[in-house]
Amino acid sequence: MSGTPAAEVVLPLPISRPYTYRIPPGLAARVVPGARVLVPVRQRRAIGVVTSVIDAEAARDLKTIIAVPDADPAPSPALLRLARWIAGYYGAPLGLTLRAMLPGTLWQAERPGGPREAEERVLILTQRLPSLLERERAFKRAPKRRLAYEAVESLGGSAPVRHLTTQLKLSAAVLDGLVQQSLARVERVAQPRDPFSDLATPPPPTLSADQRRVVEEIAATPSDVPVLIHGVTGSGKTLVYLEVVRRLVEQGQGAILLVPEIALTPQTVARVRGVFGDQVAVLHSGLSDGERVDAWRALRSGERRVAVGPRSAVFAPVQRLGAIVVDEEHEGSYKQGSAPRYHARDVARVRAQLEAARLVLGSATPSLETLHLGDAGAVRVFGLPQRIDARPLPPVAVVDLRQAPRVPEARGVPWSEALDTAVRETLAAGDQVILLLNRRGFATYLQCPACGDVRECPRCAITLTVHQTPPALRCHYCGHEEPVAPACRLCGHETQRMRGIGTQQLEHFIALRFPEARIARMDLDTTSTKWAHHRILERVARREVDILLGTQMIAKGLDFPGVTLVGVVDADTGLHLPDFRAGERTFQLVAQVAGRAGRGPKGGRVLVQTRAPEHHAIRAAQAHSVRDFAAAELPLRAPPHPAYPPSTGLVRFIAAAEDADAAVRAAADVAAWLRRVGSEQLEGALTVLGPAPCPIPRLKGRWRWHVLVKATEPRAIGHVVRAWGRGAGAGGAAVVVVDRDPVALL
């Protein structure tokens, strides 16, 4: 006896198992794996994705699929396989993984088909009047109608109604007259919402000899071998990416270009559109729902072939995918902070394998993981060791803040006489300066000089940062804000002393020190609105800014020939954090910002202020040498030192609860379960550390404890992650988060 046709459907919920629904006969042809379906869930409706079609037992009391909104599957078969890999590798529910793959509006049950396509009204001429005599007869008493007719004729016989009324100032009544006279008709035509449609920057006409060499070497490499373009800052890696992709697009294939979130500016899009024109679709969180869905649909239909965007663009439904490019592959922003906690670089590698596409990574400061794969032969490395036009890398001078003479007026600002003189000389020469301080706000914290009390966030175990514009004490983790009290809350002492320094205080000091200079500050406080950072950078490009100061967002991707001095005001802000990547991040940050100097014909120089001038991260950045840094850092992450990636696999289990004891108990339970699995099932392949309080023990009102798991064998790591995802462990009253391959341990 045959069963009832049914579909297994996953919903965008943190649930590992699928739901089973009866397939109505009228929808059977469209219910296939990957199809979006509208289904009943208790007293409401929800959108789910079909993962398989089965024969269910006829006796089962199944609910029925209500509708199938699309003609084709939303995730393709390859993307569905990729979703299964992500769910298994990162221990995430498949429903949450699929939710991350599709635009958010496609999960709205109230509008199953998603936002309607934008349309515009187009006037189309339906009758030709070739002779003057015919026109005289047709428009004898309507000269304005004749003017409108001939205007549309000159535009090729059709034109948007909005263009005719707003740009040519033709009245709607005149256009209606053409329609009534049967000389024209009005049609509604789909008009994709594309905020970048007017952007395009012509690419340089020719590649350098080095760039051509790398392009040819990549073309000669088997497409299933990932490649890394290791090019110094200013070597023109972007042009190599665009040439590799251009060759593929000419052959009818598509491509994805991933860039860090901060690098996705109209400047970047304009460079890509300069090569590929209207073939480019941008996927970005800053776009409206309609703009994102239109870009997604244009890629899925094959109307556009090149997707550009941050980490989520790795899921772009590009047809005939030929290449995925990951620019600045070392960037931590490629790691997703919520389930599924995927790393876009690693997902790109798997997707490229599934779709037989080429993976191209690029960076001036590659991650140690990628360098390790290069040394092992799993990634082929191609170098761009010189800047365009053979311009030299800028010399880097290290200023020891423990001994260097300070400017007396600086007070709490670490401002040496050497940096002061360099800024003054640069401004006098009419050149531009970049100053990096990777800490926003005015001061790090507020402390009473009488009793020593420091104001902390009531929801996070972290001091509140002092801001002056607007005046407030603010938490940079949960957003808690409170006024700056005139007196100490404990002892009533009237004055409280600010400790530490942030970008606001640096800006205040620089404005007083160099009153003639035009200053721009770039941090999260000044770039919270859409494209705000782009507007600041445009001012720098137009030479309307003399000094650009800011946090890490000014360290990457900027190319301003007028910048001849880069100053790192305090290189130690992240150097001694309790995180195994602290040195690597410091090296990358200092090396990247150093690369902003000397891109023009005048050359440039870099001053790095630090209290740890002998640290290998500072020394390697001074030498612009990734290899020097790796040679010093990698032994520190391998036995006899505590092992950390890339010498071992790493998973972090984080237990969080509003009650401190509940978090402790949950973390202890997780550690006990891990040790039991390691000894009983994995022959001691796991090393379990903890439980211990997180370096930031309380965040957003929840106490946090973590357990670290290490294993050199990936299968052992995968076993515990999948077992936990199936519910083998118990979180108890706390929420337990699993983060495989974490990029930070704070």
Side-chain angles (χ1 to χ4, degrees), residues 187-516:
E187 288 187 359
R188 291 190 174 274
V189 177
Q191 180 64 30
R193 291 159 281 219
D194 183 359
F196 305 100
S197 57
D198 298 329
L199 291 178
T201 300
T206 57
L207 298 178
S208 69
D210 256 4
Q211 289 170 326
R212 283 197 303 274
R213 169 184 57 79
V214 171
V215 169
E216 296 305 331
E217 287 174 340
I218 291 173
T221 303
S223 61
D224 60 345
V225 177
V227 301
L228 167 68
I229 303 173
H230 182 189
V232 299
T233 54
S235 59
K237 294 181 291 295
T238 301
L239 297 182
V240 175
Y241 306 149
L242 295 179
E243 177 61 19
V244 169
V245 172
R246 186 189 64 78
R247 295 184 179 191
L248 292 170
V249 171
E250 280 186 349
Q251 298 167 15
Q253 293 181 280
I256 296 170
L257 174 58
L258 297 182
V259 295
E261 185 89 26
I262 192 62
L264 186 60
T265 64
Q267 265 180 330
T268 304
V269 177
R271 294 183 76 179
V272 181
R273 287 184 68 95
V275 178
F276 303 107
D278 289 339
Q279 291 285 301
V280 178
V282 180
L283 298 167
H284 183 242
S285 59
L287 305 179
S288 69
D289 289 343
E291 289 167 345
R292 263 182 291 178
V293 169
D294 282 359
W296 185 85
R297 286 170 172 158
L299 290 166
R300 190 177 70 155
S301 68
E303 178 187 335
R304 301 197 176 192
R305 295 183 178 277
V306 180
V308 180
R311 61 176 175 263
S312 61
V314 74
F315 304 125
V318 173
Q319 302 300 302
R320 296 193 63 206
L321 184 65
I324 305 177
V325 175
V326 185
D327 187 27
E328 306 292 2
E329 63 83 26
H330 66 276
E331 272 290 322
S333 64
Y334 283 125
K335 177 75 170 176
Q336 171 76 1
S338 57
R341 288 173 171 77
Y342 66 89
H343 197 299
R345 177 193 61 216
D346 301 328
V347 171
R349 174 181 55 80
V350 175
R351 183 172 182 189
Q353 290 172 352
L354 289 172
E355 301 198 40
R358 184 184 296 285
L359 176 64
V360 180
L361 309 174
S363 177
T365 55
S367 64
L368 293 185
E369 284 86 349
T370 299
L371 285 176
H372 179 72
L373 291 174
D375 291 341
V379 171
R380 198 161 294 177
V381 182
F382 300 115
L384 283 172
Q386 285 194 318
R387 286 182 157 186
I388 298 293
D389 298 331
R391 291 196 179 105
L393 287 165
V396 179
V398 174
V399 178
D400 187 347
L401 285 174
R402 299 170 302 181
Q403 303 170 358
R406 304 267 192 110
V407 171
E409 298 86 347
R411 296 187 180 179
V413 178
W415 192 257
S416 66
E417 290 182 359
L419 183 54
D420 190 75
T421 301
V423 171
R424 204 169 292 282
E425 290 174 351
T426 303
L427 296 177
D431 297 327
Q432 294 171 293
V433 178
I434 285 179
L435 297 175
L436 171 74
L437 177 63
N438 200 26
R439 186 187 290 130
R440 58 194 253 250
F442 189 84
T444 312
Y445 59 93
L446 196 66
Q447 185 173 36
C448 174
C451 71
D453 177 60
V454 175
R455 289 294 290 137
E456 286 194 348
C457 175
R459 302 182 68 232
C460 306
I462 195 162
T463 55
L464 292 172
T465 301
V466 184
H467 285 249
Q468 280 206 330
T469 50
L473 294 173
R474 194 173 301 146
C475 176
H476 288 171
Y477 287 88
C478 73
H480 170 81
E481 192 172 297
E482 58 187 62
V484 180
C488 176
R489 57 178 176 163
L490 295 186
C491 72
H493 195 279
E494 288 187 6
T495 59
Q496 299 189 72
R497 190 168 296 158
M498 297 179 188
R499 301 285 190 181
I501 176 180
T503 47
Q504 285 188 1
Q505 187 177 354
L506 179 63
E507 180 185 30
H508 179 73
F509 167 74
I510 294 296
L512 293 175
R513 189 73 180 162
F514 306 100
E516 303 302 318

Side-chain angles (χ1 to χ4, degrees), residues 455-647:
R455 289 294 290 137
E456 286 194 348
C457 175
R459 302 182 68 232
C460 306
I462 195 162
T463 55
L464 292 172
T465 301
V466 184
H467 285 249
Q468 280 206 330
T469 50
L473 294 173
R474 194 173 301 146
C475 176
H476 288 171
Y477 287 88
C478 73
H480 170 81
E481 192 172 297
E482 58 187 62
V484 180
C488 176
R489 57 178 176 163
L490 295 186
C491 72
H493 195 279
E494 288 187 6
T495 59
Q496 299 189 72
R497 190 168 296 158
M498 297 179 188
R499 301 285 190 181
I501 176 180
T503 47
Q504 285 188 1
Q505 187 177 354
L506 179 63
E507 180 185 30
H508 179 73
F509 167 74
I510 294 296
L512 293 175
R513 189 73 180 162
F514 306 100
E516 303 302 318
R518 297 165 297 176
I519 301 168
R521 173 165 58 90
M522 196 163 156
D523 53 27
L524 279 177
D525 298 314
T526 62
T527 58
S528 55
T529 57
K530 186 175 180 179
W531 304 130
H533 58 293
H534 166 65
R535 288 191 288 273
I536 295 172
L537 298 180
E538 285 288 289
R539 289 175 54 213
V540 179
R542 293 194 299 265
R543 304 295 292 265
E544 295 170 4
V545 171
D546 301 312
I547 301 176
L548 173 66
L549 63 91
T551 55
Q552 60 179 342
M553 59 178 64
I554 68 170
K556 305 136 188 170
L558 310 187
D559 190 352
F560 299 122
V563 174
T564 60
L565 173 67
V566 167
V568 180
V569 177
D570 189 346
D572 306 339
T573 52
L575 188 58
H576 304 297
L577 292 174
D579 192 319
F580 73 95
R581 292 189 200 273
E584 182 176 5
R585 278 195 291 267
T586 297
F587 162 72
Q588 290 167 341
L589 183 63
V590 175
Q592 288 280 348
V593 77
R596 302 312 112 205
R599 288 172 171 250
K602 286 188 175 183
R605 54 178 170 155
V606 182
L607 268 72
V608 178
Q609 299 191 144
T610 175
R611 296 166 195 82
E614 300 304 321
H615 195 287
H616 62 276
I618 303 295
R619 285 296 183 202
Q622 183 180 21
H624 301 283
S625 176
V626 175
R627 286 296 172 187
D628 284 359
F629 174 74
E633 178 76 9
L634 285 172
L636 301 178
R637 298 194 194 175
H641 299 281
Y644 283 103
S647 68

